[in-house]
Amino acid sequence: MKKRTVRELTALAAMSAVLEASKAALSAIPNVELVSLLFMVYTLVFGARRTLVVSFIFTGLECLVYGIGIWTADYLYVWPVLILFTYLLRRHEETWVFAVLSCFFGLSFGALCAIVTACVGGWSMAFSWWLSGIPYDVVHGVSNFIVAMLLFQPLKKALTAVCQRMKLD
Amino acid sequence: MPVNEKKTAFPHNKAGGIRNMEEKEKKDETAAGQTPAAAPEKKKKTWVPWVICLAVIIGLLIGISSNSRPAVTTGSKSVTLTVTNKDGSTQTYEAETDAAFLSDLMTQLADTGTFSYEASSSSYGLYIEAVNGTTADYAADGAYWAIYVNGEYGQYAADAQPVEDGDSFELKYETGQGG
């Protein structure tokens, strides 16, 4: 196993901090978020493995802020799912590819989270839970698309420069 | 922030990434305007079906969601609420109510009769913790107060379950997976 250097740890800490800060900054607007975009750009710039670690740190931080809930189990796999799909699409450079991915992710967020709800309360509860959350999923999907179209390239450029300055391999 | 450092090469580039990058930068510099060759046109063709697909999915989701929203009627409704206790014994309450939601009915019954309940709000809606003094502790033994509407397992939390004339509701102490 590769040893984690101080530089590496600093990068992980900074990545997690930016996620948490962006989440807090936009928490007033339900389902408009930068977290999905950040996870995608992180995966492309810093690599999937590092981003996966960051996703778990992020979930841990969220637990510290909001306490542990059913959503904790959701977070443990929804972000890795996004990271996985971003990784699979990593050879694409077009903004729209990631905007579409981000939109799909937003639209399916409720359905993804309903898997845990099904384990807790059975399928009928999961279904009604998903159903009642659809308007939020739609807002989430559309806002994800717009956010990615606007910010994907600038963020990717900026973070690529940061990544090079940090001399991460 | 050194955004304008031009010689950046993305770590996950296509084979021949540098050339690709240079092309891309050139395009960025010329901004929207003169488009070199047929590349952008090809791009347009590829994103259109995806965006249409997304629009269709969004349309379907909105359709599903608006059709499934329960209609609420107000006015005088006569309904019954049955409480099935831990030991299987039952109490039935009959009420004439203007309650829009089951939780309103429960509050009304609690104000006027022997019925009582405790609940907390959760991200899933109102969560019933105790009925008539019996607490269901999910953490301890998987127990919870299930809602049945006209004999069917409830689809909504008490504060989202509409009350219709003639409805019979049941609050049932259950353990483990209900349904």
Side-chain angles (χ1 to χ4, degrees), chain A residues 44-45 70 90-91 93-94 96 103-104 119-120 124 128-131 134-135 138 157 160-161 164-165, chain B residues 2 8-14 24 28 46-47 50 54 57-58 61 64-65 68-69 124 138 153 155 177:
Chain A
L44 297 174
V45 175
I70 292 172
R90 68 191 181 283
R91 305 231 180 271
E93 286 185 19
E94 306 93 322
W96 69 265
C103 184
F104 266 122
C119 299
V120 175
S124 62
S128 51
W129 187 78
W130 171 72
L131 216 54
I134 284 178
V138 170
K157 235 176 209 177
T160 305
Q164 284 177 336
R165 286 210 159 181
Chain B
T8 51
F10 298 130
H12 303 287
N13 239 334
K14 279 181 197 162
K24 202 151 194 292
D28 286 348
T46 38
W47 67 260
W50 284 100
L54 283 174
I57 291 173
I58 290 172
L61 285 175
I64 292 170
S65 139
S68 68
R69 186 142 311 153
Y124 302 105
Y138 193 86
Y153 193 73
Q155 297 292 309
Q177 297 279 317

Side-chain angles (χ1 to χ4, degrees), chain B residues 131-179:
Chain B
V131 175
N132 290 345
T134 306
T135 303
D137 188 354
Y138 193 86
D141 52 2
Y144 62 98
W145 282 100
I147 299 171
Y148 286 82
V149 181
N150 299 324
E152 301 268 324
Y153 193 73
Q155 297 292 309
Y156 305 97
D159 57 348
Q161 172 61 52
V163 174
E164 302 283 347
D165 187 28
D167 273 349
S168 65
F169 298 101
E170 185 184 358
L171 294 175
K172 193 174 178 188
Y173 184 96
E174 288 190 347
T175 48
Q177 297 279 317

Side-chain angles (χ1 to χ4, degrees), chain B residues 3-173:
Chain B
V3 203
N4 43 9
E5 269 177 28
K6 271 300 170 196
K7 279 284 176 249
T8 51
F10 298 130
H12 303 287
N13 239 334
K14 279 181 197 162
I18 295 172
R19 204 169 166 199
N20 228 309
M21 268 305 302
E22 280 168 358
E23 265 175 35
K24 202 151 194 292
E25 279 167 9
K26 222 183 254 173
K27 226 186 293 160
D28 286 348
E29 278 159 21
T30 49
Q34 317 108 3
T35 44
E41 211 172 308
K42 205 176 171 188
K43 257 186 202 170
K44 247 174 210 167
K45 272 179 195 156
T46 38
W47 67 260
V48 166
W50 284 100
V51 172
I52 291 173
C53 177
L54 283 174
V56 169
I57 291 173
I58 290 172
L60 279 175
L61 285 175
I62 291 173
I64 292 170
S65 139
S66 56
N67 281 335
S68 68
R69 186 142 311 153
V72 174
T73 52
T74 51
S76 201
K77 298 169 261 194
S78 80
V79 295
T80 60
L81 175 69
T82 305
V83 175
T84 304
N85 295 303
K86 197 174 180 175
D87 59 9
S89 65
T90 59
Q91 285 114 21
T92 302
Y93 304 87
E94 289 181 15
E96 302 292 321
T97 184
D98 284 325
F101 295 103
L102 178 56
S103 55
D104 304 330
L105 172 67
M106 287 160 67
T107 307
Q108 183 189 325
L109 286 171
D111 288 344
T112 56
T114 53
F115 178 80
S116 72
Y117 79 100
E118 284 166 41
S120 59
S121 56
S122 75
S123 52
Y124 302 105
L126 196 73
Y127 181 75
I128 301 171
E129 288 165 347
V131 175
N132 290 345
T134 306
T135 303
D137 188 354
Y138 193 86
D141 52 2
Y144 62 98
W145 282 100
I147 299 171
Y148 286 82
V149 181
N150 299 324
E152 301 268 324
Y153 193 73
Q155 297 292 309
Y156 305 97
D159 57 348
Q161 172 61 52
V163 174
E164 302 283 347
D165 187 28
D167 273 349
S168 65
F169 298 101
E170 185 184 358
L171 294 175
K172 193 174 178 188
Y173 184 96

Side-chain angles (χ1 to χ4, degrees), chain A residues 19-105:
Chain A
L19 272 172
E20 193 60 45
S22 78
K23 163 116 190 204
L26 287 177
S27 60
I29 320 168
N31 287 354
V32 177
E33 43 102 351
L34 288 171
V35 176
S36 305
L37 176 71
L38 281 165
F39 271 124
M40 291 191 304
V41 178
Y42 281 175
T43 306
L44 297 174
V45 175
F46 296 98
R49 203 170 299 173
R50 231 173 247 142
T51 312
L52 209 55
V53 173
V54 168
S55 85
F56 295 131
I57 298 173
F58 175 63
T59 306
L61 284 173
E62 288 282 283
C63 287
L64 291 179
V65 176
Y66 298 102
I68 294 173
I70 292 172
W71 58 268
T72 310
D74 298 334
Y75 268 37
L76 288 175
Y77 68 85
V78 291
W79 302 119
V81 164
L82 179 63
I83 293 165
L84 172 73
F85 277 94
T86 310
Y87 179 75
L88 294 175
L89 293 168
R90 68 191 181 283
R91 305 231 180 271
H92 290 268
E93 286 185 19
E94 306 93 322
T95 306
W96 69 265
V97 171
F98 296 99
V100 167
L101 171 65
S102 191
C103 184
F104 266 122
F105 179 71

